[in-house]
Amino acid sequence: MRVINLGVRAYSINQEYAVLRRLGPALAPDLVLLFFYLNDFELVDVHRRWERFKHLDWYTFDLGAKPAGDVMRWWTIRQIARTSALINWAHDAWFAWTARDDFEEAALRGHLDQRMIDDVHEYLVRFVALADELNTRFTIVVVPHAAQIRREFPQNRYQRTITEMAGRLRTSVIDPLPVFRRDYAEHKRWPVIPFDGHYDAAGQRLLATGVLEHLATEWPEPRCPARRRGA
């Protein structure tokens, strides 16, 4: 089995579609997995982001330019600061105090803007059409929010919204949240990088486990067969 990682930092579903649109025909995949996270409901406007951040020297890292001089020294200072638990705690505390309307927490409490839902649905329709064009299987992996591992959100619309949209499009969905909760119940380990919020190596393995468990039930054969038209 060959796995090709087309993930790019900070990309949202619109950029991910553009990547598959451009590279899919040459790669001819048997299966496309779209890893969808809660903040992907917010589409990224690359041009607007560039206009906002182009004056910052450190942004050259994302543009492929080689940093040097003051840019490199400032970047080094930033990386050293990021290793300080105290600095990260202060940063997170300030962010929690000032960002009272945090989008992700609000979404877990049941507040999802209909415009965002419509935007995501539009791109999922495009993904499904492109998968048909490429004659490949398409599956959505709903990456759980770290807060969901340790507590329930009764009004949560995150997974439910994606699952409902996928159902209307007759598209498979993988929800690894049960794998994360099973591991937490057994080991009482929260697989998240301290003062960061992203999954650590253990969390990445759990995510992969959730995906593989699902694929094993759909394709018990050693190799995943490509979808054929009309199948």
Side-chain angles (χ1 to χ4, degrees):
M1 177 185 292
R2 182 176 66 152
V3 177
I4 301 175
N5 180 10
L6 296 181
V8 179
R9 183 186 68 172
Y11 268 22
S12 188
I13 190 172
N14 46 337
Q15 283 87 35
E16 291 159 351
Y17 170 79
V19 169
L20 185 62
R21 172 87 267 175
R22 180 175 181 179
L23 301 180
L27 296 175
D30 292 322
L31 170 68
V32 172
L33 294 174
L34 173 67
F35 284 77
F36 189 95
Y37 185 66
L38 184 55
N39 61 6
D40 285 328
F41 278 105
E42 297 182 294
L43 300 188
V44 174
D45 187 328
V46 175
H47 298 292
R48 181 177 297 177
R49 175 171 288 186
W50 161 244
E51 289 297 327
R52 179 181 176 187
F53 292 113
K54 65 181 180 181
H55 66 284
L56 300 177
D57 291 333
W58 53 265
Y59 206 66
T60 58
F61 280 91
D62 286 343
L63 301 178
K66 185 177 181 180
D70 290 340
V71 175
M72 191 63 194
R73 282 189 286 273
W74 176 237
W75 182 84
T76 302
I77 292 172
R78 286 168 57 87
Q79 303 316 304
I80 294 174
R82 291 187 66 185
T83 64
S84 167
L86 178 60
I87 291 177
N88 279 277
W89 176 85
H91 172 273
D92 290 349
W94 172 255
F95 185 85
W97 176 257
T98 57
R100 297 177 182 274
D101 58 344
D102 178 71
F103 163 73
E104 295 178 11
E105 285 286 339
L108 291 176
R109 293 194 301 271
H111 304 292
L112 265 178
D113 186 272
Q114 187 60 45
R115 177 186 56 80
M116 293 181 175
I117 295 175
D118 293 341
D119 287 342
V120 169
H121 181 266
E122 176 186 342
Y123 274 97
L124 289 182
V125 170
R126 295 185 185 185
F127 264 108
V128 171
L130 180 55
D132 284 338
E133 181 181 326
L134 297 174
N135 195 26
T136 185
R137 293 179 182 267
F138 173 65
T139 297
I140 305 168
V141 181
V142 186
V143 181
H145 191 283
Q148 293 182 284
I149 299 174
R150 299 192 293 190
R151 57 191 173 112
E152 293 284 350
F153 291 86
Q155 304 302 319
N156 171 40
R157 296 179 60 195
Y158 172 31
Q159 280 90 346
R160 186 172 72 249
T161 298
I162 296 300
T163 301
E164 290 174 353
M165 285 193 287
R168 292 194 295 270
L169 296 172
R170 300 176 65 183
T171 298
S172 298
V173 172
I174 300 176
D175 182 6
L177 180 56
V179 174
F180 280 85
R181 286 181 171 170
R182 186 174 66 212
D183 180 82
Y184 183 75
E186 181 177 352
H187 302 289
K188 299 302 179 186
R189 175 185 59 194
W190 200 39
V192 175
I193 300 173
F195 309 105
D196 179 272
H198 291 88
Y199 288 122
D200 59 15
Q204 300 295 337
R205 285 193 294 270
L206 289 171
L207 185 60
T209 298
V211 172
L212 291 174
E213 286 184 357
H214 178 90
L215 295 182
T217 61
E218 285 206 356
W219 298 300
E221 299 86 357
R223 298 184 63 183
C224 300
R227 182 177 63 177
R228 302 303 173 193
R229 293 189 184 280

